[in-house]
Amino acid sequence: MEAPPAEVEPAGQDRGAAGRADCWLAGTGDGTDPERHVHVVLLGLPGAGTSTIGRLLAHELHRPYVDHESIVGLGRDRDDDPDDDDEERAADDRADDDDRDADLDALRRVLGTHGSVVYGAGADVARCARPDDLADAYVVWLDASPEVVVDRLGNRVHPLLGPQPLSALREMAATLGPKGREMCDLRVQVDTAAPAEATEQIRRAWRQHVD
């Protein structure tokens, strides 16, 4: 029996996260199984469940789970200059463009590998990607309403949502929702579905896609 996949944990959980992502990027091989060339990319609003469902799905498909922030963090670790002033960089008018470039670079690095992975890309990739960027992947949009996400988050603070999470999520839903639904191969409603149910729905649809 094939062993469960090793996970590439999100950057920020410990200092070794980007290092593990680097090892994974360097270690992927060509393989001969055509299924292993089909990456699964999960998109959705912050809090929609890309990490939770992504890990479950990776286990079911016997693929590694790769978190977007791990790959972005890897690039930042390489580019950061210890003499940079964080406050000046944060105030730089080019910061948003730099973030989009980092997000696209991470996406292309992951999709450019030969071994198939489950990629928890989330809202950052949905914001900057074009359909052509995802043409060779199986893209899933996790459809969650802002109200349900806020209820699930409870008192937890999400770094992408700021002090008014419901307003931030509603704005993201208005801009990213239509784009994500347009780019995806599969749309999964996660407001009422438990993570295991959503995972099984994706697994069945992915199997039909590769068969």
Side-chain angles (χ1 to χ4, degrees), residues 13 30 39 41-43 64 66 68 70 76 86 102 106 108 122 126 129 142 148 154 163 173 180 187:
Q13 290 193 0
D30 324 307
H39 297 290
V41 177
L42 301 182
L43 303 177
V66 180
H68 178 68
S70 293
R76 285 172 180 158
D86 290 341
R108 290 163 182 159
L142 301 181
V148 169
R187 176 182 173 187

Side-chain angles (χ1 to χ4, degrees), residues 8 16-28 74 78 109:
V8 179
R20 289 196 298 277
D22 202 11
C23 290
W24 169 79
L25 286 168
T28 51
L74 177 62
R78 287 174 173 167
R109 292 183 70 189

Side-chain angles (χ1 to χ4, degrees), residues 58-79:
H59 182 79
E60 290 293 323
L61 299 182
H62 301 289
R63 277 65 173 148
Y65 171 75
V66 180
D67 184 88
H68 178 68
E69 283 303 316
S70 293
I71 308 302
V72 172
L74 177 62
R76 285 172 180 158
D77 284 348
R78 287 174 173 167
D79 295 339

Side-chain angles (χ1 to χ4, degrees), residues 139-143 181 184-189 201:
V139 182
V140 180
W141 175 258
L142 301 181
D143 211 349
R181 289 189 284 269
C184 72
D185 297 290
L186 176 68
R187 176 182 173 187
V188 177
Q189 175 56 249
Q201 184 178 343

Side-chain angles (χ1 to χ4, degrees), residues 92-163:
D92 195 316
D93 291 337
R94 295 174 299 173
D96 287 344
D97 289 338
D98 291 344
D99 286 345
R100 291 189 190 96
D101 289 344
D103 291 330
L104 281 175
D105 179 64
L107 172 68
R108 290 163 182 159
R109 292 183 70 189
V110 172
L111 299 189
T113 59
H114 294 290
S116 175
V117 302
V118 176
Y119 184 33
D124 290 329
V125 170
R127 182 183 295 110
C128 64
R130 297 169 301 180
D132 288 351
D133 296 318
L134 297 164
D136 296 328
Y138 186 73
V139 182
V140 180
W141 175 258
L142 301 181
D143 211 349
S145 67
E147 292 77 13
V148 169
V149 171
V150 168
D151 185 61
R152 288 176 180 169
L153 288 173
N155 293 326
R156 287 177 293 160
V157 177
H158 195 291
L160 294 179
L161 300 180

